[in-house]
Amino acid sequence: MRFKNSILLLTALFLELTCAAWAQNFTMNESEQRAAAELLQATNEDRSAQGLQPVREEPMLTKAAWEHAQRMVASGTLSHRVAGEPDLVVRIQQTGLHCSTVAENVAEAPTPRQINDEWMHSPPHRANLLDPRLNAVGIAIVRQRGELYAVEDFAREMVSFTRPQQEKQVASLLASRGLRVRPGDALATGYCDASPHGTRPLPKLIMRYSTVDLSRLPQRVEQGIAAGMYRSAAVGACHEANQNGFMAYQIVILLY
């Protein structure tokens, strides 16, 4: 089994042309599909053994993984980035997938079980396999000279909420804690970039925060509510933020 070490240099032009062809003819043969399915099963067995949710197959990730596997075969090396190729973040962004976290495993071995076994005995690969944040995966196998080139592209896929939906989600959390809440509040939205002048009454707390998980409130808000500091709230959703190349929701909560 070989993990990434060296890169055989190829011209960027050659890789760009060949990958354009791969993108148009994306497919794995029946044997490669069976190997990919076996690797997915092994991955989810490992996650289940640790009490984690399985990752689901995502076609856009599979396509990205397959294109990268083809590049590795063409270059004759194992790498997360070969000459003329964008890095992992850009490659996943280009699929259009709505996500907040990505990770990748690459390997070469004769069988899927050998690949999975080596990943599980390699700390960084194991960490990707067992990352509880990840919920989607694309697995690609390319058979070459009796070896399997494998790519496993992981992501935390996010539901794409509109601003009213974001506000409703956060408002419901606050209401469940006993607060009177005004979702979609224009005053709260006005605090997205700055504090409006002359606003009365002044909130006890203005909480601006970025998150990829709308099912949780900031700890400071939770603590203040638990201490009985607030009775009502207003919620506004701002423009989405960019965190490490990926989308995050930006929320403002005014607490009274």
Side-chain angles (χ1 to χ4, degrees):
M1 174 107 184
R2 295 189 293 119
F3 289 102
K4 69 165 193 173
N5 280 312
S6 62
I7 296 177
L8 177 63
L9 294 179
L10 299 176
T11 67
L13 176 60
F14 171 77
L15 285 173
E16 287 172 3
L17 291 175
T18 53
C19 284
W22 295 333
Q24 293 171 3
N25 300 289
F26 162 54
T27 185
M28 286 185 281
N29 64 36
E30 186 175 343
S31 172
E32 292 166 341
Q33 289 175 9
R34 286 197 302 269
E38 187 176 344
L39 198 51
L40 174 62
Q41 180 180 348
T43 293
N44 280 331
E45 286 174 354
D46 292 331
R47 290 177 67 87
S48 177
Q50 299 297 320
L52 301 173
Q53 292 295 312
V55 286
R56 65 180 181 277
E57 255 188 307
E58 166 50 58
M60 287 188 284
L61 289 175
T62 301
K63 183 175 183 294
W66 188 84
E67 291 177 357
H68 183 61
Q70 291 283 356
R71 285 179 181 267
M72 291 198 306
V73 170
S75 67
T77 189
L78 293 175
S79 178
H80 294 293
R81 186 180 186 182
V82 300
E85 180 184 39
D87 64 21
L88 175 64
V89 170
V90 174
R91 285 190 276 121
I92 301 305
Q93 284 177 330
Q94 288 174 343
T95 69
L97 189 68
H98 203 66
C99 58
S100 62
T101 303
V102 295
E104 181 175 80
N105 286 346
V106 298
E108 177 193 345
T111 70
R113 289 291 169 174
Q114 284 178 268
I115 290 170
N116 188 73
D117 185 64
E118 291 293 338
W119 278 343
M120 286 297 287
H121 286 87
S122 166
H125 297 85
R126 179 186 175 92
N128 288 341
L129 278 164
L130 302 181
D131 189 333
R133 299 172 300 170
L134 302 173
N135 58 18
V137 69
I139 299 176
I141 299 286
V142 177
R143 189 179 298 276
Q144 185 79 359
R145 296 182 294 276
E147 292 287 294
L148 301 179
Y149 282 76
V151 178
E152 212 172 29
D153 280 348
F154 294 97
R156 177 186 176 89
E157 189 174 6
M158 295 173 59
V159 177
S160 182
F161 291 113
T162 64
R163 286 200 209 177
Q165 288 171 331
Q166 295 170 42
E167 292 161 350
K168 185 177 180 180
Q169 189 95 345
V170 176
S172 66
L173 291 176
L174 294 165
S176 71
R177 273 92 169 147
L179 273 64
R180 300 188 307 277
V181 188
R182 301 191 306 273
D185 188 89
L187 177 59
T189 306
Y191 279 86
C192 283
D193 301 313
S195 299
H197 296 293
T199 301
R200 294 292 184 273
L202 290 175
K204 292 182 179 179
L205 176 66
I206 302 167
M207 175 58 67
R208 301 184 186 90
Y209 66 102
S210 297
T211 183
V212 298
D213 186 358
L214 291 175
S215 67
R216 297 182 180 184
L217 293 170
Q219 185 177 16
R220 185 178 177 186
V221 173
E222 292 279 22
Q223 290 173 341
I225 293 173
M229 297 173 59
Y230 314 119
R231 293 290 180 268
S232 64
V235 178
C238 309
H239 291 287
E240 293 173 352
N242 185 306
Q243 288 188 346
N244 300 319
F246 290 101
M247 188 278 294
Y249 300 114
Q250 286 203 108
I251 304 295
V252 175
I253 302 175
L254 307 183
L255 291 151
Y256 299 90

